[in-house]
mmCIF file of all heavy atoms in Angstrom:
data_model
loop_
_atom_site.group_PDB
_atom_site.id
_atom_site.type_symbol
_atom_site.label_atom_id
_atom_site.label_comp_id
_atom_site.label_asym_id
_atom_site.label_seq_id
_atom_site.Cartn_x
_atom_site.Cartn_y
_atom_site.Cartn_z
ATOM 1 N N ALA T 78 104.781 81.576 85.156
ATOM 2 C CA ALA T 78 104.255 82.744 84.703
ATOM 3 C C ALA T 78 103.785 83.585 85.913
ATOM 4 O O ALA T 78 104.123 84.788 86.049
ATOM 5 C CB ALA T 78 103.014 82.548 83.724
ATOM 6 N N ILE T 79 103.133 82.955 86.893
ATOM 7 C CA ILE T 79 102.651 83.735 88.126
ATOM 8 C C ILE T 79 103.825 84.120 88.950
ATOM 9 O O ILE T 79 103.964 85.269 89.329
ATOM 10 C CB ILE T 79 101.705 82.733 88.901
ATOM 11 C CG1 ILE T 79 100.389 82.552 88.018
ATOM 12 C CG2 ILE T 79 101.241 83.524 90.227
ATOM 13 C CD1 ILE T 79 99.530 81.491 88.667
ATOM 14 N N VAL T 80 104.727 83.245 89.270
ATOM 15 C CA VAL T 80 105.868 83.602 90.175
ATOM 16 C C VAL T 80 106.823 84.569 89.462
ATOM 17 O O VAL T 80 107.300 85.541 89.997
ATOM 18 C CB VAL T 80 106.619 82.281 90.594
ATOM 19 C CG1 VAL T 80 107.911 82.644 91.298
ATOM 20 C CG2 VAL T 80 105.684 81.339 91.363
ATOM 21 N N GLY T 81 107.009 84.333 88.126
ATOM 22 C CA GLY T 81 107.930 85.194 87.396
ATOM 23 C C GLY T 81 107.381 86.636 87.265
ATOM 24 O O GLY T 81 108.087 87.558 87.548
ATOM 25 N N LEU T 82 106.073 86.817 87.050
ATOM 26 C CA LEU T 82 105.469 88.179 86.957
ATOM 27 C C LEU T 82 105.531 88.888 88.375
ATOM 28 O O LEU T 82 105.735 90.061 88.479
ATOM 29 C CB LEU T 82 104.093 88.161 86.441
ATOM 30 C CG LEU T 82 103.993 87.852 84.982
ATOM 31 C CD1 LEU T 82 102.527 87.558 84.575
ATOM 32 C CD2 LEU T 82 104.619 88.889 84.138
ATOM 33 N N THR T 83 105.333 88.083 89.464
ATOM 34 C CA THR T 83 105.342 88.602 90.804
ATOM 35 C C THR T 83 106.781 89.071 91.092
ATOM 36 O O THR T 83 106.940 90.248 91.641
ATOM 37 C CB THR T 83 104.935 87.480 91.817
ATOM 38 O OG1 THR T 83 103.602 87.120 91.467
ATOM 39 C CG2 THR T 83 104.947 88.128 93.295
ATOM 40 N N VAL T 84 107.745 88.286 90.885
ATOM 41 C CA VAL T 84 109.156 88.590 91.171
ATOM 42 C C VAL T 84 109.540 89.814 90.313
ATOM 43 O O VAL T 84 110.219 90.691 90.707
ATOM 44 C CB VAL T 84 110.098 87.471 90.825
ATOM 45 C CG1 VAL T 84 111.583 87.848 90.988
ATOM 46 C CG2 VAL T 84 109.842 86.256 91.807
ATOM 47 N N PHE T 85 109.081 89.882 88.988
ATOM 48 C CA PHE T 85 109.375 90.891 88.079
ATOM 49 C C PHE T 85 108.831 92.298 88.724
ATOM 50 O O PHE T 85 109.658 93.233 88.656
ATOM 51 C CB PHE T 85 108.641 90.697 86.742
ATOM 52 C CG PHE T 85 108.645 91.864 85.850
ATOM 53 C CD1 PHE T 85 109.855 92.242 85.241
ATOM 54 C CD2 PHE T 85 107.594 92.550 85.553
ATOM 55 C CE1 PHE T 85 109.881 93.340 84.395
ATOM 56 C CE2 PHE T 85 107.485 93.645 84.740
ATOM 57 C CZ PHE T 85 108.680 94.085 84.120
ATOM 58 N N VAL T 86 107.619 92.358 89.166
ATOM 59 C CA VAL T 86 107.087 93.587 89.721
ATOM 60 C C VAL T 86 107.964 93.970 90.908
ATOM 61 O O VAL T 86 108.273 95.148 91.100
ATOM 62 C CB VAL T 86 105.585 93.474 90.116
ATOM 63 C CG1 VAL T 86 105.052 94.639 90.995
ATOM 64 C CG2 VAL T 86 104.745 93.132 88.864
ATOM 65 N N LEU T 87 108.242 92.962 91.796
ATOM 66 C CA LEU T 87 108.985 93.394 93.024
ATOM 67 C C LEU T 87 110.431 93.891 92.675
ATOM 68 O O LEU T 87 110.944 94.752 93.326
ATOM 69 C CB LEU T 87 109.053 92.126 93.932
ATOM 70 C CG LEU T 87 107.775 91.595 94.585
ATOM 71 C CD1 LEU T 87 107.957 90.396 95.281
ATOM 72 C CD2 LEU T 87 107.122 92.679 95.475
ATOM 73 N N TRP T 88 111.051 93.247 91.685
ATOM 74 C CA TRP T 88 112.400 93.526 91.277
ATOM 75 C C TRP T 88 112.286 95.053 90.651
ATOM 76 O O TRP T 88 113.251 95.786 91.004
ATOM 77 C CB TRP T 88 112.891 92.550 90.234
ATOM 78 C CG TRP T 88 114.163 92.972 89.578
ATOM 79 C CD1 TRP T 88 114.315 93.469 88.388
ATOM 80 C CD2 TRP T 88 115.518 92.857 90.120
ATOM 81 N NE1 TRP T 88 115.673 93.771 88.071
ATOM 82 C CE2 TRP T 88 116.436 93.333 89.167
ATOM 83 C CE3 TRP T 88 116.020 92.393 91.405
ATOM 84 C CZ2 TRP T 88 117.801 93.433 89.408
ATOM 85 C CZ3 TRP T 88 117.397 92.399 91.495
ATOM 86 C CH2 TRP T 88 118.269 92.999 90.606
ATOM 87 N N GLU T 89 111.336 95.254 89.806
ATOM 88 C CA GLU T 89 111.381 96.500 89.145
ATOM 89 C C GLU T 89 111.171 97.676 90.053
ATOM 90 O O GLU T 89 111.726 98.793 89.820
ATOM 91 C CB GLU T 89 110.206 96.575 88.124
ATOM 92 C CG GLU T 89 110.385 95.582 86.921
ATOM 93 C CD GLU T 89 111.626 96.006 86.016
ATOM 94 O OE1 GLU T 89 111.520 96.773 85.204
ATOM 95 O OE2 GLU T 89 112.668 95.253 86.260
ATOM 96 N N LYS T 90 110.407 97.461 91.036
ATOM 97 C CA LYS T 90 110.200 98.541 92.048
ATOM 98 C C LYS T 90 111.455 98.914 92.875
ATOM 99 O O LYS T 90 111.501 100.017 93.466
ATOM 100 C CB LYS T 90 109.040 98.108 93.057
ATOM 101 C CG LYS T 90 107.704 98.055 92.378
ATOM 102 C CD LYS T 90 106.668 97.778 93.467
ATOM 103 C CE LYS T 90 105.187 97.807 92.892
ATOM 104 N NZ LYS T 90 104.131 97.517 93.845
ATOM 105 N N ARG T 91 112.454 98.070 92.826
ATOM 106 C CA ARG T 91 113.663 98.269 93.622
ATOM 107 C C ARG T 91 114.762 98.868 92.719
ATOM 108 O O ARG T 91 115.880 99.251 93.149
ATOM 109 C CB ARG T 91 114.286 97.024 94.255
ATOM 110 C CG ARG T 91 113.300 96.448 95.243
ATOM 111 C CD ARG T 91 113.760 95.138 95.695
ATOM 112 N NE ARG T 91 115.108 95.149 96.213
ATOM 113 C CZ ARG T 91 115.790 94.086 96.578
ATOM 114 N NH1 ARG T 91 115.355 92.873 96.385
ATOM 115 N NH2 ARG T 91 117.061 94.202 97.096
ATOM 116 N N GLN T 92 114.552 98.998 91.388
ATOM 117 C CA GLN T 92 115.530 99.441 90.458
ATOM 118 C C GLN T 92 115.573 100.954 90.183
ATOM 119 O O GLN T 92 114.529 101.604 90.206
ATOM 120 C CB GLN T 92 115.449 98.708 89.074
ATOM 121 C CG GLN T 92 115.428 97.253 89.171
ATOM 122 C CD GLN T 92 116.682 96.696 89.969
ATOM 123 O OE1 GLN T 92 117.807 97.027 89.629
ATOM 124 N NE2 GLN T 92 116.444 96.015 91.077
ATOM 125 N N ALA T 93 116.708 101.554 90.090
ATOM 126 C CA ALA T 93 116.831 103.017 89.778
ATOM 127 C C ALA T 93 116.440 103.309 88.322
ATOM 128 O O ALA T 93 115.932 104.322 88.019
ATOM 129 C CB ALA T 93 118.282 103.428 90.089
ATOM 130 N N ALA T 94 116.769 102.290 87.383
ATOM 131 C CA ALA T 94 116.489 102.438 86.016
ATOM 132 C C ALA T 94 115.763 101.240 85.551
ATOM 133 O O ALA T 94 116.325 100.369 84.918
ATOM 134 C CB ALA T 94 117.725 102.780 85.132
ATOM 135 N N PRO T 95 114.522 101.021 85.860
ATOM 136 C CA PRO T 95 113.817 99.731 85.687
ATOM 137 C C PRO T 95 113.533 99.599 84.239
ATOM 138 O O PRO T 95 113.314 100.603 83.492
ATOM 139 C CB PRO T 95 112.569 99.829 86.565
ATOM 140 C CG PRO T 95 112.277 101.311 86.656
ATOM 141 C CD PRO T 95 113.717 101.876 86.640
ATOM 142 N N PHE T 96 113.243 98.322 83.838
ATOM 143 C CA PHE T 96 112.675 98.053 82.431
ATOM 144 C C PHE T 96 111.359 98.680 82.268
ATOM 145 O O PHE T 96 110.984 99.264 81.275
ATOM 146 C CB PHE T 96 112.777 96.545 82.289
ATOM 147 C CG PHE T 96 111.960 96.132 81.040
ATOM 148 C CD1 PHE T 96 112.390 96.532 79.783
ATOM 149 C CD2 PHE T 96 110.938 95.219 81.075
ATOM 150 C CE1 PHE T 96 111.775 96.156 78.605
ATOM 151 C CE2 PHE T 96 110.285 94.849 79.939
ATOM 152 C CZ PHE T 96 110.736 95.292 78.652
ATOM 153 N N VAL T 97 110.422 98.400 83.335
ATOM 154 C CA VAL T 97 109.060 99.095 83.379
ATOM 155 C C VAL T 97 109.015 99.912 84.641
ATOM 156 O O VAL T 97 109.160 99.317 85.741
ATOM 157 C CB VAL T 97 107.986 98.010 83.348
ATOM 158 C CG1 VAL T 97 106.612 98.691 83.631
ATOM 159 C CG2 VAL T 97 107.991 97.278 82.033
ATOM 160 N N ASP T 98 108.872 101.191 84.622
ATOM 161 C CA ASP T 98 108.794 102.075 85.738
ATOM 162 C C ASP T 98 107.494 102.064 86.282
ATOM 163 O O ASP T 98 106.570 102.757 85.845
ATOM 164 C CB ASP T 98 109.279 103.521 85.312
ATOM 165 C CG ASP T 98 109.381 104.382 86.484
ATOM 166 O OD1 ASP T 98 109.166 103.997 87.701
ATOM 167 O OD2 ASP T 98 109.736 105.589 86.268
ATOM 168 N N PHE T 99 107.240 101.257 87.355
ATOM 169 C CA PHE T 99 105.916 101.157 87.994
ATOM 170 C C PHE T 99 105.498 102.383 88.829
ATOM 171 O O PHE T 99 104.376 102.654 89.155
ATOM 172 C CB PHE T 99 105.853 99.842 88.817
ATOM 173 C CG PHE T 99 105.725 98.672 88.125
ATOM 174 C CD1 PHE T 99 106.814 97.849 87.848
ATOM 175 C CD2 PHE T 99 104.470 98.187 87.610
ATOM 176 C CE1 PHE T 99 106.651 96.624 87.129
ATOM 177 C CE2 PHE T 99 104.347 96.968 86.909
ATOM 178 C CZ PHE T 99 105.384 96.231 86.684
ATOM 179 N N ALA T 100 106.429 103.305 88.951
ATOM 180 C CA ALA T 100 106.195 104.545 89.685
ATOM 181 C C ALA T 100 105.268 105.378 88.842
ATOM 182 O O ALA T 100 104.415 106.191 89.366
ATOM 183 C CB ALA T 100 107.462 105.346 89.984
ATOM 184 N N LEU T 101 105.246 105.202 87.499
ATOM 185 C CA LEU T 101 104.339 106.003 86.645
ATOM 186 C C LEU T 101 102.770 105.622 86.992
ATOM 187 O O LEU T 101 101.930 106.441 86.768
ATOM 188 C CB LEU T 101 104.586 105.623 85.136
ATOM 189 C CG LEU T 101 105.883 106.110 84.641
ATOM 190 C CD1 LEU T 101 106.157 105.626 83.161
ATOM 191 C CD2 LEU T 101 105.975 107.652 84.603
ATOM 192 N N PHE T 102 102.556 104.424 87.565
ATOM 193 C CA PHE T 102 101.212 103.951 87.728
ATOM 194 C C PHE T 102 100.664 104.658 89.034
ATOM 195 O O PHE T 102 99.450 104.280 89.293
ATOM 196 C CB PHE T 102 101.131 102.378 87.723
ATOM 197 C CG PHE T 102 101.323 101.760 86.430
ATOM 198 C CD1 PHE T 102 102.571 101.361 86.090
ATOM 199 C CD2 PHE T 102 100.314 101.679 85.480
ATOM 200 C CE1 PHE T 102 102.873 100.749 84.774
ATOM 201 C CE2 PHE T 102 100.578 101.088 84.282
ATOM 202 C CZ PHE T 102 101.860 100.594 84.004
ATOM 203 N N ARG T 103 101.403 105.439 89.652
ATOM 204 C CA ARG T 103 100.838 106.171 90.779
ATOM 205 C C ARG T 103 99.818 107.214 90.289
ATOM 206 O O ARG T 103 98.916 107.662 90.987
ATOM 207 C CB ARG T 103 101.940 106.877 91.598
ATOM 208 C CG ARG T 103 102.942 105.836 92.278
ATOM 209 C CD ARG T 103 104.112 106.598 92.877
ATOM 210 N NE ARG T 103 105.031 105.629 93.451
ATOM 211 C CZ ARG T 103 106.316 105.891 93.710
ATOM 212 N NH1 ARG T 103 106.727 107.201 93.598
ATOM 213 N NH2 ARG T 103 107.129 105.001 94.221
ATOM 214 N N ASN T 104 100.029 107.597 89.011
ATOM 215 C CA ASN T 104 99.069 108.541 88.287
ATOM 216 C C ASN T 104 97.874 107.665 87.889
ATOM 217 O O ASN T 104 98.022 106.816 86.921
ATOM 218 C CB ASN T 104 99.749 109.234 87.135
ATOM 219 C CG ASN T 104 98.862 110.217 86.476
ATOM 220 O OD1 ASN T 104 97.742 109.945 86.206
ATOM 221 N ND2 ASN T 104 99.363 111.424 86.354
ATOM 222 N N THR T 105 96.793 107.800 88.506
ATOM 223 C CA THR T 105 95.624 106.879 88.155
ATOM 224 C C THR T 105 95.105 107.093 86.784
ATOM 225 O O THR T 105 94.617 106.145 86.106
ATOM 226 C CB THR T 105 94.579 107.121 89.161
ATOM 227 O OG1 THR T 105 94.186 108.424 89.243
ATOM 228 C CG2 THR T 105 94.966 106.593 90.628
ATOM 229 N N THR T 106 95.240 108.374 86.167
ATOM 230 C CA THR T 106 94.845 108.552 84.870
ATOM 231 C C THR T 106 95.652 107.853 83.890
ATOM 232 O O THR T 106 95.150 107.254 82.960
ATOM 233 C CB THR T 106 94.831 110.095 84.568
ATOM 234 O OG1 THR T 106 94.004 110.873 85.618
ATOM 235 C CG2 THR T 106 94.314 110.477 83.203
ATOM 236 N N PHE T 107 96.998 107.843 84.119
ATOM 237 C CA PHE T 107 97.824 107.081 83.240
ATOM 238 C C PHE T 107 97.496 105.592 83.358
ATOM 239 O O PHE T 107 97.462 104.845 82.313
ATOM 240 C CB PHE T 107 99.294 107.343 83.625
ATOM 241 C CG PHE T 107 100.301 106.450 82.938
ATOM 242 C CD1 PHE T 107 100.694 106.790 81.628
ATOM 243 C CD2 PHE T 107 100.743 105.326 83.579
ATOM 244 C CE1 PHE T 107 101.592 105.936 80.911
ATOM 245 C CE2 PHE T 107 101.826 104.512 82.928
ATOM 246 C CZ PHE T 107 102.121 104.830 81.630
ATOM 247 N N THR T 108 97.285 105.130 84.603
ATOM 248 C CA THR T 108 96.984 103.761 84.790
ATOM 249 C C THR T 108 95.720 103.388 84.129
ATOM 250 O O THR T 108 95.737 102.234 83.404
ATOM 251 C CB THR T 108 96.816 103.527 86.359
ATOM 252 O OG1 THR T 108 98.056 103.784 86.952
ATOM 253 C CG2 THR T 108 96.538 102.043 86.620
ATOM 254 N N GLY T 109 94.611 104.112 84.222
ATOM 255 C CA GLY T 109 93.393 103.804 83.648
ATOM 256 C C GLY T 109 93.435 103.829 82.098
ATOM 257 O O GLY T 109 92.851 102.904 81.406
ATOM 258 N N ALA T 110 94.161 104.750 81.573
ATOM 259 C CA ALA T 110 94.251 104.840 80.096
ATOM 260 C C ALA T 110 95.084 103.696 79.556
ATOM 261 O O ALA T 110 94.756 103.104 78.508
ATOM 262 C CB ALA T 110 94.917 106.212 79.652
ATOM 263 N N THR T 111 96.184 103.389 80.250
ATOM 264 C CA THR T 111 96.963 102.246 79.826
ATOM 265 C C THR T 111 96.265 100.936 79.902
ATOM 266 O O THR T 111 96.360 100.086 78.972
ATOM 267 C CB THR T 111 98.320 102.167 80.699
ATOM 268 O OG1 THR T 111 98.988 103.441 80.594
ATOM 269 C CG2 THR T 111 99.200 101.033 80.214
ATOM 270 N N ILE T 112 95.506 100.695 81.055
ATOM 271 C CA ILE T 112 94.793 99.499 81.157
ATOM 272 C C ILE T 112 93.675 99.284 80.132
ATOM 273 O O ILE T 112 93.553 98.302 79.562
ATOM 274 C CB ILE T 112 94.226 99.401 82.644
ATOM 275 C CG1 ILE T 112 95.271 99.125 83.616
ATOM 276 C CG2 ILE T 112 93.214 98.154 82.799
ATOM 277 C CD1 ILE T 112 94.803 99.154 85.086
ATOM 278 N N SER T 113 92.944 100.379 79.960
ATOM 279 C CA SER T 113 91.845 100.336 79.009
ATOM 280 C C SER T 113 92.522 100.175 77.586
ATOM 281 O O SER T 113 91.808 99.595 76.678
ATOM 282 C CB SER T 113 90.985 101.571 79.003
ATOM 283 O OG SER T 113 91.744 102.798 78.752
ATOM 284 N N ASN T 114 93.652 100.770 77.288
ATOM 285 C CA ASN T 114 94.314 100.608 76.069
ATOM 286 C C ASN T 114 94.685 99.080 75.754
ATOM 287 O O ASN T 114 94.524 98.527 74.727
ATOM 288 C CB ASN T 114 95.468 101.503 75.999
ATOM 289 C CG ASN T 114 96.411 101.342 74.726
ATOM 290 O OD1 ASN T 114 95.891 101.314 73.690
ATOM 291 N ND2 ASN T 114 97.646 101.139 74.972
ATOM 292 N N PHE T 115 95.267 98.516 76.924
ATOM 293 C CA PHE T 115 95.487 97.103 76.766
ATOM 294 C C PHE T 115 94.234 96.237 76.522
ATOM 295 O O PHE T 115 94.333 95.341 75.641
ATOM 296 C CB PHE T 115 96.104 96.686 78.101
ATOM 297 C CG PHE T 115 96.352 95.104 78.258
ATOM 298 C CD1 PHE T 115 97.707 94.601 77.846
ATOM 299 C CD2 PHE T 115 95.416 94.236 78.640
ATOM 300 C CE1 PHE T 115 97.951 93.269 77.971
ATOM 301 C CE2 PHE T 115 95.680 92.881 78.816
ATOM 302 C CZ PHE T 115 96.968 92.442 78.484
#
């Protein structure tokens, strides 16, 4: 779980069309709303 999630994040950041676009989390408002929603 730990290694897989770490590799997942690193992999996604290198993709042009990622499964989860982590670039969206540069917007802290989006990040905070999504985390609090979770």
Side-chain angles (χ1 to χ4, degrees):
I79 294 171
V80 174
L82 289 173
T83 301
V84 173
F85 169 71
V86 172
L87 295 174
W88 171 261
E89 293 299 279
K90 288 183 175 181
R91 297 174 55 189
Q92 303 310 301
F96 170 58
V97 174
D98 188 358
F99 283 99
L101 294 174
F102 290 97
R103 295 171 185 166
N104 184 311
T105 55
T106 303
F107 174 81
T108 301
T111 302
I112 291 174
S113 62
N114 178 47
F115 175 91

